[in-house]
Amino acid sequence: MQRLTVTDERFPIRGGFTISRGRRSHAHVVTVSIEDGSAAGRGECTPYARYGETPQSVCAQITSIATAVEAGASRKDLQSLLSPGAARNAVDNALWDLEAKQKGIPVWQLAGLPEPSPLQTAFTLSLDTPDAMALAAWENRDRPLLKVKLGGNGDDDRMRAVCGHCGDARVIVDANEAWPLDQLWEWLDLAANLGIELVEQPLAAGEDELLAERPHAVPVCADESAHDLLSLERLKGLYEFVNIKLDKTGGLTEALAMKNAAGEAGFGIFIGCMMGSSLAMAPAFLLAHDAHYVDLDAPLLLSEDRKPALAFDGSVVQPPPPVLWG
């Protein structure tokens, strides 16, 4: 008989973190542990208010299926027990970790994936004034890839400020749905002129049909518009890339299927994350081996992480140690 436990935890963010929807001082996560007496698997998720989730609601969802999981529900069973989202993510990844530890083989082998090797991640700059973001870009100019959070009004000045102070670092930007419709084409042209490689989710999900009206000066990536396998069909003709996050897909199981389908449909692959600890990044790491863009830097933004944690050398992240996950 298996035993499932669920807890919510907080990890402080170094200096706080701001996007278009507000500022956060902590990563508030939910952690699941599934034990069978001889082995234990863990998974972590980040409830996201944008998708109607709270730590309390996610814990309640997980608790509601605890009996089924403890009776031996599989990852396949889980797909019908919970909808895509944070709750299913934590349980799905705990089941992957548990099976790996029971069988004594890593998750990458269970999933038929290549053996993981070190990856380069983007480093994210928090939304701020143009002057503050210029300083942050300058301080991180030696990183290979900067991901810049934008917020709507004044984003033209923010893009100019960052690109004028980032040295040789490559730049991608993430508007988190904040660009007004009437600025879309002007700001995409500006991004292209500044050498920005990618613009993530400029328009609100559900209001992004405008993206189909003309070619994009710079590739555009779906994030809030891209959730799971079923969401891909609508994105064709609107976006060049999709951002796959385990908290949206509901775990590694769905994310693997979504990644394969997205590649077959011609989308570029972006592997991203919510604000969480190294435990949340570890399963996403396995998806990222051949992605065009990788953004798994959340542990770098925390002032405290799990122990053991992922090891970073600048912007290069090492494969997760089995004692952490997988």
Side-chain angles (χ1 to χ4, degrees), residues 7 13-14 21 31 49 51 78 83 85 90 93 95 101 104 111 122 128 133 180 194 201 253 255 279 298 310 315:
T7 56
I13 300 171
R14 186 181 297 106
R21 283 186 283 274
T31 305
Y51 304 133
L78 184 62
S83 299
N93 292 328
L95 287 171
K101 289 178 169 58
D128 210 322
M133 295 185 77
L194 291 171
Q201 197 69 42
T253 301
L279 179 59
L310 289 175
S315 291

Side-chain angles (χ1 to χ4, degrees), residues 156-173:
D156 49 348
D157 291 333
R158 292 185 181 96
M159 288 190 286
R160 291 188 188 97
V162 167
C163 290
H165 295 83
C166 66
D168 293 329
R170 298 154 52 217
V171 176
I172 59 178
V173 300

Side-chain angles (χ1 to χ4, degrees), residues 9-323:
E9 302 175 88
R10 292 175 180 263
F11 294 88
I13 300 171
R14 186 181 297 106
F17 189 74
T18 303
I19 67 170
S20 64
R21 283 186 283 274
R23 184 170 179 81
R24 302 172 63 187
S25 61
H26 289 75
H28 196 168
V29 307
V30 172
T31 305
V32 167
S33 176
I34 304 174
E35 303 177 52
D36 72 352
S38 60
R42 296 188 302 166
E44 177 187 306
C45 69
T46 301
Y48 201 35
R50 169 65 179 81
Y51 304 133
E53 298 171 335
T54 65
Q56 294 76 21
S57 71
V58 166
C59 287
Q61 282 183 280
I62 295 168
T63 301
S64 74
I65 65 159
T67 299
V69 172
E70 290 174 344
S74 67
R75 291 190 302 275
K76 182 178 179 180
D77 297 328
L78 184 62
Q79 306 307 299
S80 59
L81 290 172
L82 287 174
S83 299
R88 195 174 80 186
N89 179 35
V91 180
D92 183 72
N93 292 328
L95 287 171
W96 277 106
D97 190 31
L98 176 63
E99 183 177 351
K101 289 178 169 58
Q102 288 170 330
K103 294 182 176 179
I105 60 174
V107 169
W108 62 267
Q109 286 187 1
L110 288 175
L113 297 171
E115 183 174 4
S117 57
L119 292 170
Q120 179 183 289
T121 179
F123 182 79
T124 307
L125 304 185
S126 178
L127 174 66
D128 210 322
T129 64
D131 286 347
M133 295 185 77
L135 177 59
W138 178 251
E139 290 174 342
N140 290 282
R141 65 191 183 280
D142 292 331
R143 295 185 182 272
L145 179 65
L146 299 179
K147 175 174 173 175
V148 179
K149 288 292 188 178
L150 300 177
N153 185 41
D155 279 351
D156 49 348
D157 291 333
R158 292 185 181 96
M159 288 190 286
R160 291 188 188 97
V162 167
C163 290
H165 295 83
C166 66
D168 293 329
R170 298 154 52 217
V171 176
I172 59 178
V173 300
D174 181 7
N176 286 116
E177 305 181 280
W179 282 8
L181 295 172
D182 60 1
Q183 294 288 347
L184 173 67
W185 302 113
E186 178 184 344
W187 285 357
L188 284 178
D189 288 342
L190 174 62
N193 291 335
L194 291 171
I196 291 169
E197 293 187 10
L198 187 79
V199 174
E200 192 176 346
Q201 197 69 42
L203 303 178
E207 297 181 4
D208 51 4
E209 294 85 358
L210 182 62
L211 289 166
E213 290 192 359
R214 68 177 75 165
H216 306 154
V218 62
V220 180
C221 179
D223 182 3
E224 286 86 349
S225 292
H227 288 262
D228 57 4
L229 190 61
L230 295 178
S231 69
L232 289 175
E233 184 63 31
R234 180 186 170 274
L235 306 180
K236 294 177 181 178
L238 301 180
Y239 296 92
E240 288 81 18
F241 284 76
V242 291
N243 187 333
I244 300 174
K245 294 178 180 176
L246 301 188
D247 277 313
K248 295 186 300 179
T249 66
L252 181 61
T253 301
E254 176 83 3
L256 288 167
M258 183 178 180
K259 181 185 176 185
N260 290 337
E264 291 173 358
F267 291 106
I269 304 299
F270 189 125
I271 302 300
C273 66
M274 303 299 189
M275 186 64 73
S277 80
S278 285
L279 179 59
M281 305 304 116
F285 189 98
L286 300 187
L287 284 173
H289 62 93
D290 58 353
H292 298 86
Y293 292 97
V294 178
D295 176 27
L296 298 178
D297 69 333
L300 291 175
L301 308 179
L302 302 177
S303 57
E304 295 178 17
D305 195 3
R306 296 187 187 273
K307 296 180 181 178
L310 289 175
F312 288 83
D313 180 9
S315 291
V316 175
V317 55
Q318 301 296 319
V323 69

